[in-house]
Amino acid sequence: MTTPTQELSNVGVSIWLDDLSRDRIQSGSLESLIANRNVVGVTTNPTIFASALATGQTYGAQMAELAAAGASVTDAVFAATTDDVAAACDIFRPIYDRTKGQDGRVSIEVEPTLAFDAPATIAQAKDLFARVGRENVMIKIPATKEGLGAITAVLAEGISVNVTLIFSLERHGEVIDAYLAGLEKAAANGHDLSTIHSVASFFVSRVDTEIDKRLTAIGTDEALALKSQAGVANARLAYELFEEKFSSDRAKALLAAGANRQRPLWASTGVKDPSLPDTLYVTELAVDDTVNTMPEKTLEATFDHAPVHGDAVHGSYDEARATLASIEAQGISIVEVTTLLEREGVDKFIVSWNELLDIVTAAMESSR
């Protein structure tokens, strides 16, 4: 009997787990999800690692060693997280080889405090790539204005990049342009374009959360009828933009030279509103040549009961444009919302980063 996660994979959606911990690696949980839930990659962020180190029982020995060696807290964070990512990369290596680098990927993010500092982002991205030491690692870089140049520069070094915190169509277009520019520079630098991959992480549920709050405040029947529609509509139009951009002469020339398309990755796919179907941002965004990165709760719900009905995106673009136009007609600016969400997204990761530093500081001190 075919499971919903297999059906989703058959549509052309790569399922990546939005979680990682040493406990999950050492317990065999990650390998089980690969075998039984069609998981073919992993994404991480500072929030995930803060939770892993706060609750995990397997970091104590390493923290003690690092404390005894006089490591700084930041170095200890990078030692623990890059070790986890390297171990996960090894587990996913067969998938990476089988898919020629498209999947079998594990993402690790540059320090979020660098989101507005391109030179520092570039330097740390190269350092993280070297520290992990696995070709199937992906370096996550936030899609801030400053991050765009960093994305191009890192790709030019032949390093695969996961571009994160994309909320607006405008920024998604700029990210694709930054990717194409990076490929052009990589080719000029003598890199094999076929080995360079990238995903554009387009956030979904956070858009609904913010817009629904504003629609609720308006409170009319017309406004309330538009709730929980913006996130999917926005993401579907991001896929349309992806198709348009990679049909350009510029993109076609790179693809002919062996380059890969920068797949959209649906992020923030856990449902925040309990009144909504818990697989909404999975089934309604099912379409070929995409990634859906899911927290485990969403993954299990998808496996258990997701109504996968094939391609849910093609043919939806006019309806999606009408939905966003109706929301704008209520006096809600999509541009204002997505700008706010980008800034908040960076701020939230900085808070998690600081929590991670505090957790590691406490762990190192307790081991002395």
Side-chain angles (χ1 to χ4, degrees), residues 20-361:
L20 187 65
S21 68
R22 193 161 299 175
D23 293 35
R24 187 184 288 284
I25 292 166
Q26 294 183 356
S27 69
S29 166
L30 186 57
E31 289 169 307
S32 175
L33 293 177
I34 292 169
N36 302 310
R37 298 292 186 269
N38 301 91
V39 169
V40 293
V42 157
T43 51
T44 69
N45 59 46
T47 306
I48 285 168
F49 279 128
S51 175
L53 272 93
T55 60
Q57 305 299 312
T58 52
Y59 295 95
Q62 185 177 23
M63 292 297 111
E65 289 175 11
L66 290 164
S72 70
V73 173
T74 301
D75 280 344
V77 167
F78 282 122
T81 57
T82 55
D83 281 359
D84 284 358
V85 169
C89 282
D90 290 342
I91 292 171
F92 279 105
R93 183 61 194 243
I95 295 172
Y96 172 81
D97 291 337
R98 187 177 72 244
T99 63
K100 298 181 178 170
Q102 177 168 271
D103 289 313
R105 293 287 184 170
V106 184
S107 296
I108 185 170
E109 190 162 343
V110 296
E111 185 178 334
T113 58
L114 307 180
F116 305 106
D117 185 338
T121 294
I122 295 165
Q124 191 172 98
K126 290 160 73 173
D127 181 48
L128 283 171
F129 182 75
R131 286 201 198 201
V132 174
R134 306 292 192 276
E135 62 186 63
N136 54 328
V137 69
M138 245 179 192
I139 307 302
K140 284 180 82 171
I141 299 175
T144 58
K145 273 288 187 186
E146 294 81 0
L148 295 172
I151 291 158
T152 294
V154 173
L155 288 161
E157 298 292 326
I159 298 172
S160 295
V161 174
N162 176 338
V163 184
T164 189
L165 290 176
I166 307 171
F167 295 93
S168 72
L169 298 175
E170 178 185 9
R171 186 54 52 83
H172 187 211
E174 292 171 341
V175 164
I176 296 173
D177 289 342
Y179 174 64
L180 297 175
L183 291 178
E184 289 162 348
K185 291 187 176 184
N189 291 340
H191 291 289
D192 178 355
L193 297 186
S194 70
T195 66
I196 303 171
H197 289 258
S198 182
V199 292
S201 295
F202 200 88
F203 280 56
V204 187
S205 68
R206 293 188 195 182
V207 173
D208 273 342
T209 299
E210 181 61 31
I211 288 180
D212 286 1
K213 180 172 68 177
R214 299 179 184 211
L215 290 169
T216 300
I218 294 168
T220 63
D221 289 345
E222 186 180 15
L224 296 176
L226 291 166
K227 287 182 64 176
S228 306
Q229 296 182 43
V232 167
N234 198 39
R236 285 172 169 172
L237 294 179
Y239 190 84
E240 180 188 40
L241 181 60
F242 154 74
E243 291 187 308
E244 290 173 354
K245 285 279 192 180
F246 283 96
S247 298
S248 69
D249 290 341
R250 181 188 189 189
K252 285 179 179 177
L254 288 163
L255 296 174
N260 302 287
R261 300 206 293 180
Q262 181 188 52
R263 290 185 295 170
L265 178 152
W266 309 131
S268 183
T269 56
V271 171
K272 307 294 192 294
D273 182 345
S275 70
L276 297 175
D278 53 5
T279 63
L280 175 72
Y281 303 121
V282 176
T283 56
E284 296 306 303
L285 294 175
V287 63
D288 187 30
D289 218 11
T290 58
V291 179
N292 195 306
T293 185
M294 310 178 196
E296 188 170 18
K297 182 178 179 181
T298 303
L299 173 63
E300 289 301 328
T302 298
F303 175 80
D304 181 66
H305 56 255
V308 179
H309 299 301
D311 184 340
V313 174
H314 286 108
S316 69
Y317 302 141
D318 288 343
E319 181 184 354
R321 268 186 285 277
T323 295
L324 296 187
S326 296
I327 290 168
E328 291 268 2
Q330 294 295 315
I332 297 171
S333 166
I334 304 295
V335 171
E336 179 193 338
V337 167
T338 54
T339 300
L340 170 67
L341 290 172
E342 179 186 294
R343 187 171 64 250
E344 286 184 347
V346 173
D347 289 345
K348 286 176 180 177
F349 279 160
I350 290 174
V351 168
S352 294
W353 175 257
N354 290 330
E355 289 175 357
L356 181 54
L357 293 177
D358 290 344
I359 290 163
V360 171
T361 297

